[in-house]
Amino acid sequence: MKGNKTTVLTFAEKCKNILASNWQGNLNTIKADAKGSKEEIYTSKVKYFVKKGRPYIWVPEKDLHNVLPARVALTGDVVPLKGEKVKLVAESLRETISSESKVVKESTYAVSGILSSSNLGSTPRSENLRELLDGNEQYTVYRFNLSSCMYIDSNGGTHELDLADVEASKGDPLSPFSSSLLDGINRSELRRRALILFCITYLNKNAKDALMLSVDRKGFDVLGKVLGPVRNDGSREYQWKEFRFAFKEEARDVETVCRQLVEMEEEALKNVSSFSGLG
């Protein structure tokens, strides 16, 4: 079950998934005038929607970002949309929200059980973006033209990406539901026990606790609490370490993810029973 080139996403794919699974971020813009930048940076939290890999940003009209020039340098250019283009993006957002809601309504008991147990709601991204269409606040919609992209891993390492790779990569179909899946799994003691069992049986790591960090079509990452190396005084302490588990088949939907997790748990339980002589 160890990760390799075929079971781990590229940094570009990971970036796409992070963008697609979230709905808000910090927008930093630099105020400029005829004399050039005055290095006055304004920051606020804004909501966004990704269409065909390109982020579209909804900025409240009262927000100070809107007193800046039409093109604002970030890690790219922010260009305001007008007229019919705004309607097209809004309609695309409405269709996406409807599609995600339909998936949840038609999901099996096992899937709905995990999603509904999340404190974030079944479709947190859609639920939070819906107010952009149905709320009373007025927004200006921007298209974000990417000029650079950097992936920051869990250890703080940075990886600057080729824009061609970012544009060519596709968002994961699980992304809209990943935050609810993770929260629903991690809030359940029984489901976390299954993650501990995975660490023990598949990786031979005697984990004391475990949390699911991320999930994608190729597999999932787990943060396991395992014994660290022997210290000078001969003692050992538990430390959190990241592990990768690969699916036997690519998961194109939430149903497939849950089915494979159940199958992995059943297989792990059989291995434990066989090893203990109880099988």
Side-chain angles (χ1 to χ4, degrees):
M1 304 300 294
K2 294 183 179 179
N4 53 49
K5 289 184 178 179
T6 61
T7 61
V8 179
L9 299 183
T10 65
F11 288 133
E13 289 174 321
K14 288 182 178 181
C15 284
K16 276 287 180 69
N17 288 349
I18 291 172
L19 277 174
S21 62
N22 288 279
W23 58 89
Q24 63 183 4
N26 290 322
L27 176 62
N28 305 294
T29 52
I30 303 173
K31 187 174 182 180
D33 56 20
K35 297 180 180 179
S37 172
K38 292 184 177 181
E39 298 184 353
E40 295 179 18
I41 299 176
Y42 177 72
T43 301
S44 72
K45 186 168 288 186
V46 297
K47 293 184 178 180
Y48 69 88
F49 162 64
V50 178
K51 177 186 178 184
K52 295 182 179 179
R54 188 189 300 277
Y56 290 84
I57 305 169
W58 267 256
V59 181
E61 289 188 349
K62 63 182 180 181
D63 201 307
L64 292 180
H65 289 295
N66 286 345
V67 302
L68 301 178
R71 295 173 66 86
V72 181
L74 296 168
T75 52
D77 292 327
V78 179
V79 183
L81 300 183
K82 296 181 180 180
E84 192 63 27
K85 291 183 178 180
V86 174
K87 293 180 180 179
L88 290 174
V89 174
E91 184 58 32
S92 180
L93 173 57
R94 193 178 298 278
E95 291 174 358
T96 298
I97 292 174
S98 176
S99 176
E100 292 177 6
S101 298
K102 182 180 179 182
V103 169
V104 174
K105 289 179 181 178
E106 296 178 351
S107 63
T108 61
Y109 178 78
V111 173
S112 61
I114 294 178
L115 296 179
S116 62
S117 62
S118 167
N119 278 5
L120 303 175
S122 298
T123 54
R125 189 184 72 147
S126 293
E127 292 164 11
N128 280 273
L129 289 175
R130 191 184 301 276
E131 66 182 52
L132 297 176
L133 303 175
D134 302 333
N136 296 323
E137 188 164 11
Q138 298 298 310
Y139 292 90
T140 299
V141 182
Y142 292 85
R143 183 180 69 243
F144 186 74
N145 293 332
L146 198 65
S147 64
S148 66
C149 184
M150 182 176 291
Y151 177 74
I152 303 174
D153 60 35
S154 58
N155 296 317
T158 58
H159 310 268
E160 191 162 354
L161 308 179
D162 189 316
L163 288 183
D165 293 336
V166 176
E167 293 175 359
S169 64
K170 294 183 178 180
D172 202 290
L174 302 176
S175 295
F177 312 98
S178 61
S179 57
S180 291
L181 273 175
L182 297 178
D183 194 54
I185 289 172
N186 291 334
R187 287 185 179 278
S188 167
E189 185 176 344
L190 287 176
R191 293 168 187 146
R192 286 175 65 173
R193 285 180 186 172
L195 298 179
I196 294 173
L197 188 61
F198 293 169
C199 292
I200 295 172
T201 57
Y202 293 121
L203 302 180
N204 197 29
K205 300 292 184 181
N206 190 18
K208 185 179 181 180
D209 196 2
L211 294 164
M212 187 175 286
L213 277 180
S214 65
V215 60
D216 54 69
R217 68 183 187 278
K218 293 187 177 183
F220 56 97
D221 297 304
V222 168
L223 194 63
K225 194 173 186 179
V226 297
L227 281 172
V230 179
R231 303 167 70 178
N232 293 334
D233 60 1
S235 64
R236 299 176 70 185
E237 290 187 351
Y238 279 95
Q239 61 183 22
W240 291 97
K241 190 173 181 180
E242 188 173 333
F243 302 107
R244 175 72 177 179
F245 294 85
F247 289 135
K248 289 184 178 180
E249 62 179 273
E250 284 202 3
R252 295 294 177 178
D253 51 49
V254 185
E255 298 285 350
T256 308
V257 169
C258 293
R259 173 177 58 79
Q260 293 198 70
L261 288 175
V262 170
E263 291 174 354
M264 288 178 66
E265 184 176 2
E266 291 174 347
E267 182 181 346
L269 287 171
K270 287 180 181 178
N271 290 339
V272 170
S273 298
S274 176
F275 180 76
S276 64
L278 299 176

Coordinates of all heavy atoms in Angstrom, one line a residue, residues 162-227:
D162 N 5.4 24.6 -12.9 CA 5.3 25.1 -14.2 C 3.8 25.4 -14.5 O 2.9 24.5 -14.3 CB 5.8 24.1 -15.2 CG 6.0 24.6 -16.6 OD1 5.0 25.2 -17.1 OD2 7.0 24.3 -17.2
L163 N 3.5 26.5 -15.0 CA 2.0 26.9 -15.3 C 1.4 25.9 -16.3 O 0.2 25.6 -16.2 CB 1.9 28.3 -15.8 CG 2.2 29.4 -14.7 CD1 2.0 30.8 -15.4 CD2 1.2 29.2 -13.6
A164 N 2.2 25.4 -17.2 CA 1.7 24.5 -18.2 C 1.2 23.2 -17.5 O 0.2 22.6 -17.9 CB 2.7 24.1 -19.2
D165 N 1.9 22.8 -16.5 CA 1.5 21.6 -15.7 C 0.2 21.8 -14.9 O -0.7 21.0 -14.8 CB 2.6 21.1 -14.8 CG 3.8 20.6 -15.5 OD1 3.7 20.2 -16.6 OD2 4.9 20.7 -14.9
V166 N 0.1 23.0 -14.4 CA -1.1 23.4 -13.6 C -2.3 23.4 -14.5 O -3.4 22.9 -14.2 CB -0.9 24.8 -12.9 CG1 -2.1 25.2 -12.2 CG2 0.3 24.7 -11.9
E167 N -2.1 24.1 -15.7 CA -3.3 24.2 -16.6 C -3.7 22.9 -17.2 O -4.9 22.6 -17.4 CB -2.9 25.2 -17.7 CG -2.8 26.6 -17.2 CD -2.3 27.6 -18.3 OE1 -2.1 27.1 -19.4 OE2 -2.1 28.8 -18.0
A168 N -2.7 22.0 -17.3 CA -3.0 20.7 -18.0 C -3.6 19.7 -17.0 O -4.4 18.8 -17.4 CB -1.7 20.1 -18.5
S169 N -3.4 19.9 -15.7 CA -3.9 18.9 -14.7 C -5.4 19.2 -14.5 O -5.9 20.3 -14.7 CB -3.1 19.1 -13.3 OG -3.4 20.4 -12.8
K170 N -6.0 18.1 -14.1 CA -7.5 18.2 -13.8 C -7.8 18.1 -12.4 O -7.1 17.4 -11.6 CB -8.2 17.0 -14.6 CG -8.1 17.1 -16.1 CD -8.8 16.0 -16.8 CE -8.8 16.1 -18.3 NZ -9.5 15.1 -19.0
G171 N -8.8 18.8 -12.0 CA -9.3 18.8 -10.6 C -9.9 17.4 -10.2 O -10.4 16.7 -11.1
D172 N -9.7 17.0 -9.0 CA -10.2 15.7 -8.6 C -11.7 15.7 -8.4 O -12.2 16.6 -7.8 CB -9.5 15.3 -7.3 CG -9.5 13.8 -7.0 OD1 -10.6 13.3 -6.8 OD2 -8.5 13.1 -7.1
P173 N -12.4 14.7 -8.9 CA -13.9 14.7 -8.7 C -14.4 14.6 -7.3 O -15.5 14.9 -7.0 CB -14.3 13.5 -9.5 CG -13.1 12.6 -9.6 CD -12.0 13.5 -9.7
L174 N -13.5 14.2 -6.4 CA -13.8 14.1 -5.0 C -13.7 15.4 -4.2 O -14.2 15.6 -3.1 CB -12.9 13.1 -4.3 CG -12.9 11.6 -4.8 CD1 -11.9 10.8 -4.1 CD2 -14.3 11.0 -4.7
S175 N -13.0 16.4 -4.8 CA -12.6 17.6 -4.1 C -13.8 18.3 -3.5 O -13.7 18.8 -2.3 CB -11.9 18.6 -5.1 OG -10.7 18.0 -5.5
P176 N -15.0 18.5 -4.1 CA -16.1 19.2 -3.5 C -16.6 18.6 -2.2 O -17.2 19.2 -1.4 CB -17.2 19.1 -4.6 CG -16.5 18.9 -5.9 CD -15.3 18.1 -5.5
F177 N -16.3 17.3 -2.0 CA -16.8 16.6 -0.8 C -15.7 16.2 0.2 O -16.0 15.6 1.2 CB -17.5 15.3 -1.3 CG -18.5 15.5 -2.4 CD1 -18.2 15.2 -3.7 CD2 -19.8 16.0 -2.1 CE1 -19.1 15.5 -4.7 CE2 -20.7 16.3 -3.1 CZ -20.3 16.0 -4.5
S178 N -14.4 16.4 -0.2 CA -13.3 16.0 0.6 C -13.3 16.5 2.0 O -13.0 15.8 3.0 CB -12.0 16.3 -0.1 OG -11.8 17.6 -0.3
S179 N -13.6 17.8 2.2 CA -13.6 18.4 3.5 C -14.6 17.7 4.5 O -14.3 17.5 5.6 CB -13.8 19.9 3.5 OG -15.0 20.2 2.8
S180 N -15.8 17.4 3.9 CA -16.8 16.8 4.7 C -16.5 15.3 5.0 O -16.7 14.8 6.1 CB -18.2 16.8 4.0 OG -18.7 18.2 4.0
L181 N -15.9 14.6 4.0 CA -15.4 13.3 4.2 C -14.4 13.2 5.3 O -14.5 12.4 6.2 CB -14.8 12.7 2.9 CG -15.7 12.1 1.9 CD1 -15.0 11.7 0.7 CD2 -16.4 10.8 2.5
L182 N -13.4 14.1 5.3 CA -12.4 14.1 6.3 C -12.9 14.4 7.7 O -12.6 13.7 8.7 CB -11.3 15.1 5.9 CG -10.5 14.9 4.6 CD1 -9.5 16.0 4.4 CD2 -9.8 13.5 4.7
D183 N -13.8 15.4 7.8 CA -14.3 15.8 9.0 C -15.2 14.7 9.6 O -15.2 14.4 10.8 CB -15.1 17.1 8.9 CG -15.4 17.7 10.2 OD1 -14.5 17.9 11.0 OD2 -16.6 18.0 10.5
G184 N -16.0 14.1 8.7 CA -16.9 13.0 9.2 C -16.2 11.8 9.7 O -16.6 11.1 10.6
I185 N -15.1 11.5 9.0 CA -14.3 10.3 9.4 C -13.5 10.6 10.7 O -13.5 9.8 11.6 CB -13.3 9.9 8.3 CG1 -14.0 9.3 7.1 CG2 -12.2 9.0 8.8 CD1 -13.2 9.0 5.9
N186 N -12.9 11.8 10.8 CA -12.1 12.1 11.9 C -12.9 12.4 13.2 O -12.3 12.3 14.3 CB -11.2 13.3 11.6 CG -10.1 13.0 10.6 OD1 -9.7 11.8 10.4 ND2 -9.7 14.0 9.8
R187 N -14.1 12.7 13.1 CA -15.0 12.9 14.3 C -15.5 11.6 14.8 O -16.1 11.6 15.9 CB -16.1 13.9 13.9 CG -15.7 15.3 13.8 CD -16.9 16.2 13.6 NE -16.4 17.6 13.4 CZ -16.1 18.4 14.5 NH1 -16.2 17.9 15.7 NH2 -15.6 19.6 14.3
S188 N -15.3 10.5 14.1 CA -15.9 9.2 14.5 C -14.8 8.4 15.2 O -13.7 8.1 14.5 CB -16.5 8.5 13.4 OG -16.7 7.1 13.7
E189 N -14.9 8.0 16.4 CA -13.9 7.1 17.1 C -13.8 5.8 16.3 O -12.7 5.3 16.2 CB -14.3 6.9 18.5 CG -13.3 6.1 19.3 CD -13.7 6.0 20.8 OE1 -14.6 6.8 21.2 OE2 -13.1 5.2 21.5
L190 N -14.9 5.2 15.9 CA -14.8 3.9 15.2 C -14.1 4.0 13.9 O -13.3 3.2 13.5 CB -16.3 3.4 14.9 CG -17.0 2.9 16.1 CD1 -18.5 2.5 15.7 CD2 -16.3 1.7 16.7
R191 N -14.3 5.1 13.1 CA -13.6 5.3 11.8 C -12.1 5.6 12.0 O -11.3 5.1 11.2 CB -14.3 6.4 11.1 CG -15.7 6.1 10.6 CD -16.4 7.3 10.1 NE -17.8 7.0 9.8 CZ -18.8 7.8 10.0 NH1 -18.6 9.1 10.5 NH2 -20.1 7.5 9.7
R192 N -11.8 6.3 13.1 CA -10.4 6.5 13.4 C -9.7 5.2 13.8 O -8.5 5.0 13.6 CB -10.2 7.6 14.5 CG -10.5 9.0 13.9 CD -10.5 10.0 15.0 NE -9.2 10.2 15.6 CZ -8.9 11.2 16.5 NH1 -9.9 12.1 16.8 NH2 -7.7 11.3 17.0
R193 N -10.4 4.3 14.5 CA -9.9 3.0 14.8 C -9.5 2.2 13.6 O -8.5 1.5 13.5 CB -10.9 2.2 15.7 CG -11.0 2.7 17.1 CD -12.0 1.8 17.9 NE -12.2 2.3 19.2 CZ -13.2 1.9 20.0 NH1 -14.0 0.9 19.6 NH2 -13.3 2.4 21.2
A194 N -10.3 2.4 12.6 CA -10.1 1.7 11.3 C -8.8 2.3 10.7 O -8.0 1.5 10.1 CB -11.2 2.0 10.3
L195 N -8.5 3.6 10.8 CA -7.3 4.2 10.3 C -6.1 3.6 11.1 O -5.0 3.4 10.5 CB -7.3 5.7 10.4 CG -8.4 6.4 9.6 CD1 -8.3 7.9 9.9 CD2 -8.3 6.1 8.1
I196 N -6.2 3.5 12.4 CA -5.2 2.9 13.2 C -4.9 1.4 12.7 O -3.7 1.0 12.6 CB -5.6 2.8 14.7 CG1 -5.7 4.3 15.2 CG2 -4.6 2.0 15.5 CD1 -6.3 4.4 16.6
L197 N -6.0 0.7 12.4 CA -5.8 -0.7 11.9 C -5.1 -0.7 10.6 O -4.3 -1.6 10.3 CB -7.2 -1.3 11.8 CG -7.3 -2.8 11.5 CD1 -6.6 -3.6 12.6 CD2 -8.7 -3.2 11.3
F198 N -5.4 0.3 9.7 CA -4.7 0.3 8.4 C -3.2 0.5 8.6 O -2.4 -0.1 8.0 CB -5.2 1.5 7.6 CG -6.6 1.4 7.2 CD1 -7.3 2.5 6.6 CD2 -7.3 0.2 7.3 CE1 -8.6 2.3 6.2 CE2 -8.6 0.0 6.9 CZ -9.3 1.1 6.3
C199 N -2.8 1.4 9.6 CA -1.4 1.6 9.8 C -0.7 0.3 10.3 O 0.4 0.0 9.9 CB -1.2 2.7 10.9 SG -1.7 4.4 10.3
I200 N -1.4 -0.4 11.2 CA -0.8 -1.6 11.8 C -0.7 -2.7 10.7 O 0.4 -3.4 10.6 CB -1.7 -2.1 13.0 CG1 -1.6 -1.0 14.1 CG2 -1.2 -3.4 13.5 CD1 -2.6 -1.3 15.2
T201 N -1.8 -3.0 10.0 CA -1.8 -4.2 9.1 C -1.1 -3.9 7.8 O -0.5 -4.8 7.2 CB -3.2 -4.6 8.9 OG1 -4.0 -3.5 8.3 CG2 -3.9 -5.1 10.2
Y202 N -1.3 -2.7 7.2 CA -0.8 -2.5 5.9 C 0.7 -1.9 5.9 O 1.4 -2.2 4.9 CB -1.6 -1.5 5.1 CG -3.0 -2.1 4.8 CD1 -4.2 -1.5 5.2 CD2 -3.1 -3.2 4.0 CE1 -5.4 -2.0 4.9 CE2 -4.4 -3.8 3.7 CZ -5.5 -3.1 4.2 OH -6.8 -3.7 3.9
L203 N 1.0 -1.2 6.9 CA 2.3 -0.6 7.0 C 3.2 -1.1 8.1 O 4.4 -0.7 8.2 CB 2.2 1.0 7.1 CG 1.4 1.7 6.0 CD1 1.3 3.2 6.2 CD2 2.0 1.4 4.6
N204 N 2.7 -2.0 8.9 CA 3.4 -2.5 10.1 C 3.9 -1.4 11.0 O 5.0 -1.4 11.6 CB 4.6 -3.3 9.6 CG 5.1 -4.2 10.8 OD1 4.4 -4.6 11.7 ND2 6.4 -4.5 10.7
K205 N 3.0 -0.4 11.2 CA 3.3 0.8 12.1 C 2.3 0.7 13.2 O 1.1 0.8 13.0 CB 3.1 2.1 11.3 CG 4.0 2.3 10.1 CD 5.5 2.4 10.6 CE 6.4 2.7 9.4 NZ 7.8 2.7 9.8
N206 N 2.8 0.6 14.4 CA 2.0 0.4 15.6 C 1.5 1.8 16.1 O 2.0 2.4 17.0 CB 2.8 -0.3 16.7 CG 1.9 -0.7 17.9 OD1 0.7 -0.7 17.7 ND2 2.5 -0.9 19.0
A207 N 0.4 2.3 15.4 CA -0.1 3.6 15.7 C -1.0 3.6 16.9 O -1.7 2.6 17.2 CB -0.9 4.1 14.5
K208 N -0.9 4.7 17.7 CA -1.7 4.8 18.9 C -3.0 5.6 18.5 O -4.0 5.5 19.2 CB -0.9 5.6 19.9 CG -1.6 5.7 21.3 CD -0.7 6.5 22.3 CE -1.3 6.6 23.6 NZ -0.4 7.3 24.6
D209 N -2.9 6.5 17.5 CA -4.0 7.3 17.1 C -3.8 7.6 15.6 O -2.7 7.5 15.1 CB -4.1 8.6 17.9 CG -5.5 9.2 17.7 OD1 -6.4 8.7 17.0 OD2 -5.7 10.3 18.3
A210 N -4.8 8.0 14.9 CA -4.7 8.3 13.5 C -5.8 9.3 13.0 O -6.9 9.2 13.5 CB -4.7 7.1 12.6
L211 N -5.5 10.1 12.1 CA -6.4 11.1 11.5 C -6.2 11.0 10.0 O -5.1 10.9 9.5 CB -6.2 12.5 12.0 CG -6.4 12.8 13.4 CD1 -5.8 14.1 13.8 CD2 -7.9 12.9 13.7
M212 N -7.3 11.2 9.2 CA -7.2 11.3 7.8 C -6.9 12.7 7.4 O -7.6 13.6 7.7 CB -8.4 10.8 7.1 CG -8.3 10.7 5.5 SD -9.7 9.9 4.7 CE -9.5 8.2 5.1
L213 N -5.8 12.9 6.6 CA -5.3 14.3 6.3 C -6.0 14.7 5.0 O -6.4 15.9 4.8 CB -3.8 14.3 6.1 CG -2.9 14.5 7.3 CD1 -1.5 14.5 6.9 CD2 -3.3 15.7 8.1
S214 N -6.0 13.8 4.0 CA -6.5 14.2 2.7 C -7.0 12.9 1.9 O -6.6 11.8 2.3 CB -5.5 14.9 1.8 OG -4.4 14.0 1.5
V215 N -7.8 13.1 0.9 CA -8.3 12.0 0.1 C -8.4 12.5 -1.3 O -8.9 13.6 -1.5 CB -9.6 11.4 0.7 CG1 -10.7 12.5 0.7 CG2 -10.1 10.2 -0.1
D216 N -8.1 11.6 -2.2 CA -8.2 11.9 -3.6 C -8.5 10.6 -4.4 O -8.6 9.6 -3.8 CB -6.9 12.6 -4.2 CG -5.7 11.7 -3.9 OD1 -5.5 10.7 -4.5 OD2 -4.8 12.2 -3.0
R217 N -8.6 10.7 -5.7 CA -9.0 9.5 -6.5 C -8.0 8.4 -6.4 O -8.4 7.2 -6.6 CB -9.3 9.9 -7.9 CG -8.0 10.3 -8.7 CD -8.3 10.8 -10.1 NE -7.1 11.0 -10.9 CZ -6.4 12.1 -10.9 NH1 -6.8 13.1 -10.0 NH2 -5.3 12.2 -11.6
K218 N -6.8 8.6 -6.1 CA -5.7 7.6 -6.1 C -5.5 7.0 -4.7 O -4.9 5.9 -4.6 CB -4.4 8.1 -6.6 CG -4.5 8.5 -8.1 CD -3.1 8.9 -8.6 CE -3.1 9.2 -10.1 NZ -1.8 9.5 -10.6
G219 N -6.0 7.7 -3.6 CA -5.7 7.1 -2.3 C -6.0 8.2 -1.2 O -6.6 9.2 -1.5
F220 N -5.4 8.0 -0.1 CA -5.5 9.0 1.0 C -4.3 9.0 1.9 O -3.5 8.1 1.9 CB -6.8 8.6 1.8 CG -6.8 7.2 2.4 CD1 -6.4 7.0 3.7 CD2 -7.2 6.1 1.6 CE1 -6.4 5.7 4.2 CE2 -7.2 4.8 2.2 CZ -6.8 4.6 3.5
D221 N -4.1 10.2 2.6 CA -3.0 10.4 3.5 C -3.5 10.3 4.9 O -4.6 10.9 5.2 CB -2.3 11.7 3.2 CG -1.7 11.8 1.8 OD1 -0.9 10.9 1.5 OD2 -2.1 12.6 1.0
V222 N -2.8 9.7 5.8 CA -3.1 9.5 7.2 C -2.0 10.1 8.0 O -0.8 9.9 7.8 CB -3.4 8.0 7.5 CG1 -3.5 7.8 9.0 CG2 -4.7 7.6 6.9
L223 N -2.4 10.8 9.1 CA -1.4 11.2 10.1 C -1.5 10.3 11.3 O -2.5 10.3 12.0 CB -1.8 12.7 10.5 CG -0.7 13.4 11.3 CD1 0.6 13.6 10.4 CD2 -1.2 14.8 11.8
G224 N -0.5 9.4 11.4 CA -0.5 8.4 12.5 C 0.4 8.8 13.7 O 1.5 9.4 13.5
K225 N 0.0 8.5 14.9 CA 0.8 8.7 16.1 C 1.5 7.5 16.4 O 1.0 6.5 16.9 CB -0.1 9.2 17.2 CG 0.6 9.7 18.4 CD -0.3 10.3 19.5 CE 0.4 11.0 20.6 NZ -0.5 11.5 21.6
V226 N 2.8 7.4 16.0 CA 3.6 6.2 16.2 C 4.9 6.5 17.0 O 5.3 7.7 17.2 CB 4.1 5.7 14.8 CG1 2.8 5.3 14.0 CG2 4.9 6.8 14.0
L227 N 5.5 5.5 17.5 CA 6.7 5.6 18.3 C 7.9 6.1 17.4 O 8.1 5.7 16.3 CB 7.1 4.3 18.9 CG 6.3 3.8 20.1 CD1 6.7 2.4 20.5 CD2 6.6 4.8 21.3

